[in-house]
Amino acid sequence: MAEIVLDKVTKRYPDGALAVSEADFTIADGEFVILVGPSGCGKSTTLNMIAGLEDISDGELRIDGQRVNEKAPKDRDIAMVFQSYALYPHMSVRENMAFPLRLAKVDDKVVRQKVEEAAATLDLTQHLDRKPGNLSGGQRQRVAMGRAIVRNPKAFLMDEPLSNLDAKLRVQMRTSLSKLQKQLGTTTVYVTHDQTEAMTLGDRVVVLRGGIVQQIGSPQFLYEQPSNLFVAGFIGSPSMNFLPATLADNEVNSPIGKFALTDRIRSLVEAAGAPREVILGIRPEHFEDARLLDESAKSGGATFTASVDVLESMGSDKYAYFTVEGDQATSQELEELAADSGSADVPDRGSQVVTRLSAASEATQGGSLEVWFDADKVQLFDPSNGKNLTYSG
Amino acid sequence: MTETAVKPAPAKAAKKPKPELSEGKRAERRLGWLLCAPAALVMVAVTGWPIIYSVWLSMQRYDLRFPNQSEFVFLDNYITVLGSEYWWTAFGLTTLITVVSVIIELVLGMCLALIMHRTIVGRGLVRTVSLIPYGIVTVVAAFSWRYAWDDKTGYLSALLSSESALIDQTSAFFTVVLAEVWKTTPFMALLLMAGLALVPDDLLRAAAMDGAGPWQRFTKVIVPVMKPAILVALLFRTLDAFRIFDNLFVLTPGTSSVSIQTYNNLIKGLNLGIGSTMSVLIFITVAIIAFLFIKVFGTAAPGSDSGGKR
Ligand SMILES: Nc1ncnc2c1ncn2[C@@H]1O[C@H](COP(=O)(O)OP(=O)(O)OP(=O)(O)O)[C@@H](O)[C@H]1O
Ligand SMILES: [Mg+2]
């Protein structure tokens, strides 16, 4: 068990690519930290630097207070689980799991016992004598886990360990992974590009973009208080709605109507020195069908009327999609997010707004609906640099 | 190879209650057979007939100097050859050269393959350069070695001031091995490099994380994972090396491998019976080597791998 400190760690590949720049954070002993971000943002590179598989170009990496920049992977006492599982095809499951112990010259009897213990934890006992090639994806994943836990390392590093599993198995493995980590209490760094995994698994989440750490915090905190447009758009599913808006006389003029800033937001915006043009962000769950609310409930927000493009009923609630007039909000961050989610070139007139309404809503597809939203929950962003103007960190 | 690949299919089909083939499928299959029939027939004629004919010859007393005394002697020739001291000396020498040179080639080839696999800059150049010896015709290479070791004009013998590299028995043996190794290590390296490419990077990274140093990664992960490629390379080289002829013929006239003995009897001595017997024996030895590799070591049958030969 160990504390891992990244002190302005930078990675520049020989070809000049700057993969990680000045990553600066501390992973506490026993903590479960998630590195998340779109493809190519430097997650694997960061993890490989912690593992010792990639040299650190600049900065210092400390494990338990000791500088380890120069140490070989095998001297760092860290275990890693790979996306490809990287099981040794010529060894049985038992030998795969025993491999780190054998290399450490552990007594044969102890090896046997430890492997069997790990196999029992991971429900692999009946597969111990099979070859990895004959196992299912989930079983292979567990063998890879077993190989990591069997030697009680200081920390686990996992690079997208669940991304080769099908959706259902992924959810299952996610919960068991979380349980296992709590049970072992081993410091874990977990890389994923899946924001659901990031939200559900970690104690803290590190959001990376283009090699630069955007924000670090608990999943809930990142969700409620994104420090910039990128984090706001990346965390949450369905993601936050972004609309272009103008700010004048403490009023927001946006495609979903004109409304006054609440006192809380006004003071934050004033402190941040907001420009005139802003991007308005609002999460789907902060909308509601206006008909379901009484006057007093409605007073804290504003309403707009639009026709429902698509209505998805999820049982517990309903997702209504609207198209509102006006240009789309544009900024570099939003373009990147769109590119990452693959929705970059959806030709759109106006902007789409996703709302989550109560199941009691009588909205109908194609019908017109009056929608209320909570004016105190909106967030305003500076389009030029993506900064959250309503961040109260 | 075509035949062996095709044969199992009908056997399997016969076992099961024959799966109904659609009209189109059957016509397609018939067309397939028809299309490859000419090639298959030529193959059989070219490779099969000489084999059968030499087996037939090996059972005759047939000396072209005394063509009148030809007669069928069944296995007498085999008894003569297998009872001959010369044959066994040659056999021993051939085996020794084969084993020693193949082992050295394997080690060097592996080093070369690792180097070629790791180099990032000038990869193509490194590969091409290391392949040059293999591209040179063996006889030509053998002659250049012979001149290099020539005790009057050779630069190698001048360099090492050894006058009789090709005369003294032990040093001649090593000279031949050196020539063989020099020539065929690139081939080994190339086959091994194809095997190295089969070892996923992640596997080595995982081994590094599990605590394996470079040597342990090599012995415990790389070698076992690329074992099929190693065995194929070994098989090819062993079969090739056992038939050594050119280097011995040029470098050390007088010593004889089994191939040279065969040549001496068959071509020089015009004794078709004994010569054929020897070539059949070589054939059998080679078949046994191949069988051992494939059945005992479980080499994947060559053919699925790159099979470039001389
Ligand atoms: N060996 C390398 N040489 C040069 N550049 C590299 C190398 N490996 C990665 N990069 C670059 O570094 C950046 C970060 O790569 P990295 O593999 O860390 O991304 P990632 O966040 O893990 O992405 P993914 O989610 O796709 O796995 C990328 O822009 C990539 O092109
Ligand atoms: Mg990656």
Side-chain angles (χ1 to χ4, degrees):
Chain A
M1 256 146 269
E3 180 194 64
I4 300 171
V5 180
L6 284 85
D7 188 355
K8 296 216 167 53
V9 167
T10 298
K11 175 71 191 184
R12 194 182 294 280
Y13 279 107
D15 67 356
L18 185 65
V20 178
S21 87
E22 306 216 331
D24 204 24
F25 55 90
T26 301
I27 299 157
D29 185 14
E31 200 177 16
F32 199 146
V33 165
I34 312 280
L35 299 181
V36 70
S39 187
C41 70
K43 307 177 298 281
S44 299
T45 306
T46 308
L47 202 69
N48 288 341
M49 283 194 289
I50 299 176
L53 296 170
E54 286 292 355
D55 290 333
I56 295 169
S57 316
D58 220 339
E60 192 172 75
L61 176 71
R62 289 187 292 274
I63 298 179
D64 274 343
Q66 266 189 351
R67 180 186 163 96
V68 294
N69 286 35
E70 288 78 22
K71 278 197 179 173
K74 70 187 176 83
D75 302 321
R76 297 192 188 189
D77 192 19
I78 287 177
M80 188 153 168
V81 177
F82 294 80
Q83 179 177 0
S84 62
Y85 313 141
L87 300 177
Y88 310 118
H90 55 288
M91 298 181 194
S92 65
V93 169
R94 183 191 301 281
E95 280 313 306
N96 260 285
M97 284 166 59
F99 191 65
L101 298 175
R102 297 238 189 268
L103 288 172
K105 304 246 161 28
V106 176
D107 200 51
D108 212 38
K109 231 167 63 194
V110 183
V111 171
R112 206 173 178 75
Q113 179 210 333
K114 284 200 168 179
V115 168
E116 252 142 45
E117 247 169 53
T121 321
L122 292 165
D123 199 14
L124 282 170
T125 311
Q126 71 271 41
H127 304 301
L128 274 177
D129 294 310
R130 297 172 70 190
K131 286 274 170 67
N134 302 336
L135 300 180
S136 73
Q139 288 163 343
R140 278 181 220 186
Q141 209 284 330
R142 278 179 283 155
V143 177
M145 288 295 306
R147 193 172 62 185
I149 66 173
V150 76
R151 71 185 156 116
N152 243 326
K154 279 189 187 159
F156 294 137
L157 307 179
M158 305 187 190
D159 195 348
E160 313 204 17
L162 305 183
S163 59
N164 281 350
L165 303 178
D166 64 53
K168 200 169 163 197
L169 200 54
R170 191 150 54 202
V171 175
Q172 221 175 332
M173 286 304 295
R174 200 167 71 203
T175 36
S176 54
L177 191 68
S178 174
K179 248 192 271 169
L180 187 69
Q181 199 272 343
K182 291 279 165 304
Q183 186 187 329
L184 298 170
T186 308
T187 314
T188 303
V189 187
Y190 184 104
V191 163
T192 178
H193 62 252
D194 181 85
Q195 62 92 25
T196 323
E197 270 174 34
M199 292 297 281
T200 50
L201 275 174
D203 298 326
R204 277 197 306 158
V205 176
V206 177
V207 182
L208 281 163
R209 169 183 166 229
I212 298 168
V213 175
Q214 301 290 303
Q215 194 176 1
I216 306 174
S218 73
Q220 195 59 37
F221 183 75
L222 294 193
Y223 188 79
E224 286 167 1
Q225 295 281 344
S227 70
N228 63 34
L229 208 47
F230 182 82
V231 178
F234 193 79
I235 302 286
S237 168
S239 62
M240 192 185 264
N241 298 294
F242 295 108
L243 300 163
T246 50
L247 198 60
D249 303 332
N250 292 322
E251 279 205 331
V252 177
N253 194 352
S254 77
I256 53 171
K258 203 168 179 161
F259 60 93
L261 294 177
T262 62
D263 292 344
R264 184 185 72 87
I265 292 179
R266 187 185 329 156
S267 60
L268 288 170
V269 166
E270 271 166 11
R276 227 181 91 78
E277 302 285 330
V278 293
I279 290 175
L280 169 71
I282 180 161
R283 294 222 179 259
E285 66 269 30
H286 296 138
F287 292 90
E288 190 50 277
D289 185 341
R291 249 184 298 174
L292 301 175
L293 300 168
D294 53 27
E295 284 308 314
S296 67
K298 269 198 262 187
S299 66
T303 58
F304 68 96
T305 308
S307 78
V308 180
D309 289 341
V310 178
L311 185 75
E312 290 170 352
S313 185
M314 311 297 271
S316 56
D317 34 39
K318 285 178 175 161
Y319 285 102
Y321 295 73
F322 300 91
T323 308
V324 294
E325 292 294 314
D327 296 329
Q328 271 181 295
T330 50
S331 87
Q332 212 189 327
E333 283 88 350
L334 292 180
E335 274 166 32
E336 239 173 81
L337 285 167
D340 187 55
S341 62
S343 57
D345 38 29
V346 181
D348 244 353
R349 273 183 305 107
S351 355
Q352 197 178 53
V353 174
V354 186
T355 64
R356 197 177 89 194
L357 310 176
S358 155
S361 164
E362 280 161 20
T364 52
Q365 194 156 323
S368 167
L369 187 75
E370 192 188 16
V371 183
W372 171 90
F373 59 90
D374 189 341
D376 197 42
K377 292 283 167 49
V378 301
Q379 313 209 4
L380 299 174
F381 300 90
D382 185 337
S384 62
N385 58 12
K387 221 179 88 186
N388 187 348
L389 301 164
T390 46
Y391 180 69
S392 62
Chain B
M1 220 131 286
T2 355
E3 287 167 290
T4 46
V6 170
K7 251 178 208 160
K12 239 180 241 164
K15 250 180 239 163
K16 283 187 210 166
K18 213 169 189 174
E20 282 294 309
L21 285 178
S22 70
E23 185 65 24
K25 266 268 162 59
R26 232 179 304 157
E28 207 172 88
R29 182 171 287 191
R30 201 173 324 124
L31 180 67
W33 279 110
L34 282 175
L35 284 178
C36 67
L41 284 178
V42 171
M43 277 285 284
V44 168
V46 169
T47 61
W49 172 243
I51 294 175
I52 294 166
Y53 187 57
S54 62
V55 170
W56 169 245
L57 278 180
S58 74
M59 294 182 188
Q60 317 254 350
R61 172 151 67 220
Y62 197 170
D63 193 328
L64 284 183
R65 287 170 302 177
F66 314 102
N68 305 336
Q69 294 172 21
S70 303
E71 63 173 313
F72 185 80
V73 294
F74 199 45
L75 291 179
D76 270 9
N77 282 338
Y78 289 87
I79 293 165
T80 317
V81 172
L82 292 177
S84 138
E85 199 183 316
Y86 291 116
W87 169 259
W88 287 113
T89 317
F91 193 88
L93 182 72
T94 312
T95 312
L96 194 64
I97 290 179
T98 304
V99 171
V100 173
S101 64
V102 168
I103 287 173
I104 297 175
E105 276 161 26
L106 177 65
V107 175
L108 288 183
M110 187 57 100
C111 296
L112 201 59
L114 284 170
I115 292 168
M116 290 198 282
H117 191 66
R118 293 264 161 245
T119 34
I120 301 157
V121 277
R123 205 170 181 154
L125 188 73
V126 173
R127 284 184 199 182
T128 314
V129 167
S130 63
L131 265 178
I132 288 176
Y134 193 64
I136 298 174
V137 179
T138 316
V139 182
V140 176
F143 270 109
S144 68
W145 279 108
R146 189 169 115 185
Y147 293 130
W149 286 115
D150 190 281
D151 46 357
K152 290 206 189 67
T153 53
Y155 67 93
L156 276 179
S157 44
L159 205 68
L160 302 173
S161 66
S162 73
E163 268 136 45
S164 54
L166 292 173
I167 297 161
D168 175 68
Q169 210 176 16
T170 324
S171 66
F173 171 78
F174 282 110
T175 315
V176 170
V177 168
L178 176 70
E180 276 284 291
V181 167
W182 176 80
K183 168 112 174 72
T184 46
T185 300
F187 173 72
M188 196 72 146
L190 217 61
L191 283 186
L192 291 177
M193 201 172 62
L196 274 179
L198 295 179
V199 184
D201 257 355
D202 264 1
L203 220 53
L204 299 177
R205 292 164 155 249
M209 293 308 296
D210 283 345
W215 178 248
Q216 284 165 319
R217 285 203 292 273
F218 178 71
T219 53
K220 302 208 159 144
V221 179
I222 295 182
V223 170
V225 172
M226 64 179 290
K227 190 180 128 196
I230 294 177
L231 286 174
V232 167
L234 276 182
L235 171 63
F236 282 180
R237 272 309 304 144
T238 311
L239 296 186
D240 248 11
F242 192 78
R243 301 182 326 231
I244 181 173
F245 185 89
D246 323 37
N247 273 323
L248 275 178
F249 190 80
V250 173
L251 284 171
T252 57
T255 46
S256 57
S257 70
V258 285
S259 295
I260 291 186
Q261 278 227 335
T262 310
Y263 165 83
N264 285 343
N265 280 289
L266 195 65
I267 312 285
K268 269 187 163 168
L270 299 177
N271 191 336
L272 296 191
I274 295 288
S276 299
T277 307
M278 286 177 168
S279 61
V280 169
L281 284 173
I282 294 175
F283 174 81
I284 291 172
T285 316
V286 163
I288 289 173
I289 294 173
F291 180 83
L292 282 181
F293 267 101
I294 289 171
K295 286 288 171 228
V296 181
F297 299 124
T299 314
S304 52
D305 256 277
S306 60
K309 284 230 259 175
R310 248 186 269 238

